[in-house]
Amino acid sequence: MQGKKEYQEKLFTQFRMSDRIPKENFYRRLNGELDLHFLYVLTRPYYGDSGQKSIDPTVFFKLCLVGYLENIISDRQLIAHCSLRLDILYFLGYDIDEELPWHSTISRTRQLYPEKVFEEVFTRVLIMCVDKGMVSGHTQAIDSAPIKANASMDTLELKVPEEELEDHLKKLRHISSMDKQKPIRKAKENKASDAQKKISATKQELSAIKSRNKKWSKDQDQRTGANNKNSKYTSNKTHYSPTDPDAKISVKPGKARKLNYMSQLSVDTGHHVITDIKAYKADKKDSQYLQDIVPRLKKRLNKQGILWQNLVADTGYSDGENYAFLEKIGLRSFIPPHGTYKGGPEDFEYVKQEDHYLCPEGHIVPFKKVFNDYRTGSKKKEYRISSKICRDCPIRKQCLGKTAQEKKFSVTYYREEYERNNHRVSSNQGRYMKSKRQSTVEPVFGTLTQFMGLRKINTIGIEQANKVMHLSAIAYNLKKYLKFTSKVVRSDAKSLALYLTHCFWHILSRSSHFKPFKKDEIGDRKNYSHA
């Protein structure tokens, strides 16, 4: 007999959320593993003693995590999505007839809590991963990626010289809407400070920008966007965003210029757990941020009793000062040098003991002085030979060219650090580390930007951007954590095999004829201490 279902709402019903949600459901398992009760003590100083009760701190963080786990960056859309999911309501601690917080409450609470609260939650989740054996710690891969800011290039405004700022601000009161230099789209509110409106570039930098503007309009007419009516060459030296002054213009080869933040990410090579993440301004090189990243990450790992030994990164972090810094704190760097790096001129032999070079004719090119390169700010050493020696040299033309009277060249001050790093990079272990970096940190960035809500920063300011990045990383680590816990269950046979292997290596290590492997030779080793 054919059935027919007729729906009629009940005035009273008996319903339990826990009966409707399967035990293997992701959010039910996460609710059992994640304990956020420490937030009550951590966030207490940011509330008063009277007035209406605010959103529960644990509910706020759980709502934020759901947004990144579901790849939703809109607070309004997040609340609408959560209200339709029983498993998410159960995770948040809400019943089916309870109303969720208003979407603007999430934004206000995010601004209320400082960065250290979000960093503390990130650290607590990392500790959970460490306790599960997911973090080996000895090798960390570092990389960066630009994340789109919540601001448009159309609202960019010109910076003015410091001495002209007051006059410029006075003129703005009388400026007409037909001003030739007005932005394509006027920002509703100019949030930039006076310092951010001032030109910080030198005369040489402004001259270079001027020449680039000419090339943009003439020589590069085939470039994407060059023929557009409103196209212009923009630079952080001459332009700023009134909507989000902390967002900076950055560009990647083959892509358009955008207002971005720079996300610096550290990933453990053991099980791809994120060990550090932070938002930086996108107007500097990766190498300029390394000495800020490493001490923070090293301190975090040391607190968990983890010994960090190897740092793996791409060429963007290559810098002699960074190599020296890493050696000083006991880290081995595997960072390929720039293609422009040379230990000296071709066919010139370096004599380390005397700190001089020998030219192809056997003449000594002595060290003269240490100086800072004004273009890059890097520390260099100058070597120069007397013009009297070069005067009668048979290879003078090939060596000096047409105008030079003496051989003079500069080499990085950190030549020895470069050479030691290059030796590690070109070794078998270095090639292994390169493949490890490509298979570790780069896929993590792809996951964060495509599936974990980090394709765009939905807040204003670098402090808020840092909170967003930490929330995305927390969501990623929690997802890895739950997957890992489901894989650690082993059969008795496998557990016995691991135990026998551990005993075998223990016996060999006590033998006088046994020579243990070096860590460099075996790379990542599995930890059998749990067997």
Side-chain angles (χ1 to χ4, degrees), residues 3-20:
K4 184 178 181 182
K5 176 72 175 70
E6 294 184 2
Y7 173 72
Q8 184 176 0
E9 277 193 311
K10 295 180 180 180
L11 184 60
F12 301 100
T13 183
Q14 186 176 0
F15 182 87
R16 289 179 61 184
M17 298 277 281
S18 57
D19 295 337
R20 295 288 181 174

Side-chain angles (χ1 to χ4, degrees), residues 256-306:
R257 289 171 175 261
K258 290 183 180 179
L259 286 166
N260 292 324
Y261 283 102
M262 186 62 68
S263 176
Q264 294 286 348
L265 184 73
S266 303
V267 179
D268 182 79
T269 57
H271 293 279
H272 301 190
V273 174
I274 299 174
T275 52
D276 185 76
I277 190 170
K278 189 171 182 179
Y280 291 92
K281 293 182 180 179
D283 57 345
K284 291 183 180 180
K285 299 178 181 178
D286 290 338
S287 58
Q288 295 175 282
Y289 294 126
L290 187 68
Q291 294 188 36
D292 181 65
I293 299 168
V294 170
R296 181 178 62 251
L297 177 56
K298 189 175 178 64
K299 182 179 179 181
R300 180 179 289 138
L301 294 175
N302 287 346
K303 281 186 176 181
Q304 307 308 317
I306 296 174

Side-chain angles (χ1 to χ4, degrees), residues 38 72 154 195 245 320 327 387 508:
F38 67 91
I72 300 172
D154 293 341
E327 287 187 3
S387 59
L508 280 181

